[in-house]
């Protein structure tokens, strides 16, 4: 198995969720990548399995405490060895991009920490976390959905997951361009036709058209990518 993802979470029942469906789910069933979850509350230090406390200095909300998270990470690394990356998904992390998925797909094992409430105690970030990732400029109720997004983006480019591995190479963002428009049968639908060049059977003309369309779409919709 080439890639293993472990999720440190308060809600392990959220997984595999969408990761158990479609391309990702099929590859998971076939053992082409692995996924496991760990319940943070199992590492709490009191009988109530407490994982959160009030913020130091006061204020609204709650903060995930050091001890349960540290205990969990320490125990997991004793069992499985050091992770290639320990990732915390957080709105103030680095924006997740295709190149990050490409890099992470080459790793053997990652641990993703899913925060809740106002986040996790900064000392866990300082002591353990190797990457802090955001999937966008908005706030979710917890890190689980972001973790699923990251894992799906990684999983689909692991060798053997896609039936045609060259398909991923033409996806949006792989070459800093958006993907061109795509068409299928029928050749005409409600008055709209497939561009004639796609029906010529000439690979060079088709590739040139797709490159031109990708560039034009990127200029119009995401000119920042061309910088």
């Amino acid at each position: 198995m080439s890639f293993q993802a472990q999720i440190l979470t308060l809600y392990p029942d959220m997984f595999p969720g969408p990761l158990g469906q479609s391309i990702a789910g099929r590859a998971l069933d076939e053992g082409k990548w692995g996924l496991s979850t760990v319940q943070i509350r199992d590492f709490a230090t009191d009988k109530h399995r407490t994982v959160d406390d009030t913020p130091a200095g006061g204020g609204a909300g709650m903060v995930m405490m050091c001890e349960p998270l540290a205990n969990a990470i320490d125990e997991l690394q004793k069992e499985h060895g050091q992770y290639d990356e320990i990732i915390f998904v957080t709105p103030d992390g680095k924006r997740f991009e295709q190149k990050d998925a490409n890099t992470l797909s080459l790793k053997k094992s990652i641990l993703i920490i899913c925060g809740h409430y106002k986040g996790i105690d900064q000392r866990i970030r300082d002591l353990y976390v190797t990457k802090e990732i955001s999937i966008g400029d908005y706030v979710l109720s917890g890190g689980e959905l972001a973790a699923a997004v990251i894992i799906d983006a990684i999983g689909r480019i692991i060798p053997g997951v896609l039936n045609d591995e060259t398909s991923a190479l033409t996806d949006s963002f792989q070459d800093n361009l958006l993907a061109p428009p795509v068409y299928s049968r029928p050749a005409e639908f409600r008055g709209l036709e497939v561009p004639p060049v796609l029906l010529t059977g000439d690979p060079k003309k088709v590739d040139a058209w797709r490159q031109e369309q990708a560039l034009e779409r990127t200029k119009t919709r995401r000119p920042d990518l061309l910088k």
Side-chain angles (χ1 to χ4, degrees):
M1 192 177 295
S2 59
F3 176 80
Q4 287 280 342
Q6 279 197 307
I7 312 295
L8 199 50
T9 172
L10 294 174
Y11 299 97
D13 289 345
M14 291 183 69
F15 297 93
L19 298 174
Q21 304 297 317
S22 187
I23 294 170
R26 184 170 62 248
L28 186 61
D29 290 341
E30 293 172 352
K32 292 176 179 176
W33 68 283
L35 175 69
S36 60
T37 58
V38 177
Q39 170 58 264
I40 298 169
R41 291 190 186 277
D42 290 344
F43 297 88
T45 57
D46 69 333
K47 66 179 181 180
H48 300 293
R49 304 174 81 205
T50 305
V51 296
D52 61 312
D53 204 345
T54 54
M62 302 293 281
V63 176
M64 293 182 69
M65 299 159 58
C66 287
E67 288 90 346
L69 288 167
N71 291 342
I73 297 169
D74 289 343
E75 184 62 30
L76 290 171
Q77 293 195 127
K78 285 179 185 177
E79 292 180 10
H80 306 290
Q82 296 291 315
Y83 295 97
D84 292 325
E85 300 285 358
I86 297 179
I87 297 168
F88 176 48
V89 283
T90 173
D92 62 356
K94 177 190 178 296
R95 178 77 69 88
F96 187 64
E97 298 178 350
Q98 184 61 48
K99 62 184 178 181
D100 300 310
N102 294 346
T103 298
L104 289 170
S105 73
L106 302 176
K107 307 295 185 181
K108 293 294 183 184
S109 64
I110 65 171
L111 176 68
I112 301 182
I113 303 171
C114 298
H116 274 269
Y117 316 118
K118 298 296 288 184
I120 67 174
D121 191 299
Q122 179 64 39
R123 289 167 291 186
I124 295 297
R125 299 170 74 164
D126 295 339
L127 290 169
Y128 293 99
V129 173
T130 61
K131 283 186 181 296
E132 298 183 341
I133 292 177
S134 166
I135 63 166
D137 295 343
Y138 46 87
V139 177
L140 300 171
S141 299
E144 286 76 14
L145 294 177
V149 167
I150 291 167
I151 293 171
D152 185 77
I154 296 169
R156 66 187 306 277
I157 52 179
I158 292 172
V161 170
L162 294 177
N163 292 330
D164 182 357
E165 293 181 8
T166 62
S167 174
L169 300 178
T170 58
D171 288 341
S172 291
F173 309 113
Q174 285 289 11
D175 52 3
N176 283 337
L177 294 175
L178 299 180
V182 293
Y183 298 85
S184 186
R185 290 188 289 268
E188 186 275 333
F189 179 71
R190 296 183 181 178
L192 299 176
E193 296 183 350
V194 172
V197 66
L198 299 180
L199 305 177
T200 62
D202 187 329
K204 289 186 178 179
K205 289 182 179 179
V206 170
D207 286 346
W209 180 87
R210 286 174 173 163
Q211 181 69 16
E212 177 185 347
Q213 292 293 313
L215 183 60
E216 184 61 33
R217 178 168 281 191
T218 306
K219 284 181 179 178
T220 302
R221 301 184 180 190
R222 290 292 305 276
D224 57 294
L225 294 175
L226 300 176
K227 298 177 182 178

